Amino acid sequence: MNRTRMLAGIGTPVAIFSTALLASEKLYDFAFKRVDYVPETSADKQKYADAYYAYVDWLHRQPVQQWQLNVNDADNHLVAQYVPAKTASERTVIISHGYKGDGETMANYAYMFHQMGYNVLLPDDRGHGQSAGKYISFGWQDRRDYLGWIDKVIRLNGVHTEIILFGVSMGGATVEMVSGEHLPNQVKAIIADCGYTSVEEELAYLLKRQFHLPKYPFVPMVSFINRHRMGYYLSDVSSVEQLRRNHRPIFFIHGEQDIYVPSWMLKKNYQAANEPKQMWQVPNATHAESFWIDPAEYQNHITAFLDHYVPHN
């Protein structure tokens, strides 16, 4: 009888652990595994669909060049679209896309910068679009890939080129993470729209909000799985820590009504970043909606920031 009770006492926590581990594996695959299509946008963004596809059609009509990195390395092969400026320009913007998107999904921002006289580079991040990768790194591996794209821009456009880094949502977090790397002088400024503080905090927040699940034990288990598959823990993936090493002018944009990446993450990122920095909270904007509410005002804010910190020669 005592042995039976002992085995039952052991079996119960083992069963709980196994169930939690299985759930964490499913969660990891759902959140981190690549998908070879762009999921449909959220219901609140459907009203912008016609405008979005008009920007995509514009992109398809441009003299787009395909740029590549690591061509002979199948596991690390990266692809980007490059749209040259209407007239020769020494200014290039590298635009980082959102979660489960690709470079094409940033066509509206590409159009905006193109109208401002910029060359535009639209990478597909690891695990997205035409680039390699089984899993999504949420900006962490991408931050080093963007150093490769920066070097390629300098190599092809010349040492006098001026580079702006721009990203939205996961792309916003990606350029925030790039900010903490050793950047060449040609990188002049960074613009991050609705980037998260860290993958760990974002995952814990969404688990609670969308699935009513606690952080423990799921986030540590997902982190352990990621360490096994990708080589690092989720706690390593931090915009905040990278922003503390930033030395470029940085402009934070965030919708006041964002419930996907909450506004407290904006404030935490802003506080972590070194000067010079600016912040714009967009009234009534939800996640990644700031551009769509008023594209002209959005462009005006970006133009004012760049004119101040990266004036034209």
Side-chain angles (χ1 to χ4, degrees):
M1 189 67 175
N2 288 339
R3 186 164 180 260
T4 301
R5 287 179 179 175
M6 181 182 71
L7 291 174
I10 294 172
T12 299
V14 168
I16 292 172
F17 175 81
S18 298
T19 300
L21 183 59
L22 180 61
S24 299
E25 287 273 6
K26 290 182 179 294
L27 175 62
Y28 184 86
D29 285 343
F30 172 76
F32 289 77
K33 198 171 184 179
R34 79 172 291 150
V35 293
D36 290 312
Y37 62 92
V38 176
E40 192 173 73
T41 190
S42 58
D44 66 310
K45 305 294 191 310
Q46 291 292 338
K47 58 183 176 285
Y48 304 118
D50 289 344
Y52 168 77
Y53 285 110
Y55 287 118
V56 172
D57 288 342
W58 167 84
L59 180 61
H60 290 169
R61 294 194 302 270
Q62 302 311 301
V64 174
Q65 303 169 17
Q66 187 182 79
W67 286 17
Q68 301 180 70
L69 293 177
N70 313 319
V71 177
N72 297 317
D73 184 351
D75 292 334
N76 295 290
H77 181 216
L78 302 172
V79 177
Q81 298 180 74
Y82 177 80
V83 184
K86 288 178 284 188
T87 58
S89 174
E90 291 187 337
R91 290 194 157 191
T92 300
V93 61
I94 302 176
I95 297 179
S96 183
H97 64 76
Y99 176 64
K100 293 186 177 178
D102 57 23
E104 184 177 283
T105 62
M106 307 300 280
N108 55 311
Y109 303 103
Y111 175 84
M112 178 186 71
F113 279 103
H114 192 259
Q115 293 300 109
M116 294 166 62
Y118 282 76
N119 308 302
V120 178
L121 185 66
L122 298 165
D124 290 351
D125 289 350
R126 286 175 182 265
H128 297 82
Q130 298 182 67
S131 292
K134 295 180 180 179
Y135 300 103
I136 298 167
S137 81
F138 288 88
W140 194 238
Q141 288 184 327
D142 307 301
R143 82 193 196 282
R144 290 179 176 157
D145 297 333
Y146 276 72
L147 297 180
W149 291 124
I150 289 167
D151 287 345
K152 184 148 192 165
V153 169
I154 296 169
R155 190 165 67 251
L156 295 182
N157 289 0
V159 294
H160 297 297
T161 193
E162 295 182 325
I163 298 172
I164 307 301
L165 303 179
F166 173 89
V168 179
S169 191
M170 185 185 78
T174 298
V175 297
E176 288 167 354
M177 292 178 200
V178 177
S179 78
E181 300 301 307
H182 180 69
L183 298 174
N185 292 332
Q186 286 86 353
V187 177
K188 301 300 182 182
I190 299 168
I191 304 169
D193 186 335
C194 59
Y196 42 77
T197 52
S198 70
V199 170
E200 194 171 54
E201 287 186 329
E202 179 67 11
L203 181 59
Y205 169 80
L206 292 177
L207 273 178
K208 182 177 181 180
R209 178 172 182 82
Q210 295 186 350
F211 302 105
H212 309 290
L213 292 173
K215 177 178 180 179
Y216 300 100
F218 299 105
V219 172
M221 285 186 169
V222 169
S223 182
F224 177 79
I225 294 166
N226 195 72
R227 175 66 177 82
H228 177 70
R229 296 187 187 178
M230 300 281 281
Y232 53 87
Y233 294 106
L234 297 189
S235 57
D236 296 330
V237 186
S238 172
S239 300
V240 168
E241 291 305 315
Q242 290 292 98
L243 285 165
R244 290 192 174 116
R245 294 190 284 272
N246 171 57
H247 297 290
R248 297 295 187 277
I250 185 164
F251 185 27
F252 297 92
I253 303 171
H254 213 104
E256 283 187 346
Q257 304 302 317
D258 194 336
I259 58 172
Y260 189 77
V261 177
S263 59
W264 62 261
M265 291 193 177
L266 162 68
K267 296 177 178 118
K268 192 170 179 179
N269 282 336
Y270 181 81
Q271 289 167 359
N274 291 316
E275 298 282 359
K277 57 187 175 182
Q278 292 183 10
M279 177 175 66
W280 176 36
Q281 281 193 277
V282 182
N284 303 315
T286 60
H287 184 67
E289 192 184 19
S290 297
F291 171 91
W292 298 105
I293 284 181
D294 191 336
E297 183 182 18
Y298 192 91
Q299 181 173 330
N300 287 340
H301 274 80
I302 286 176
T303 299
F305 169 76
L306 292 175
D307 283 349
H308 184 74
Y309 291 110
V310 196
H312 284 278
N313 293 327

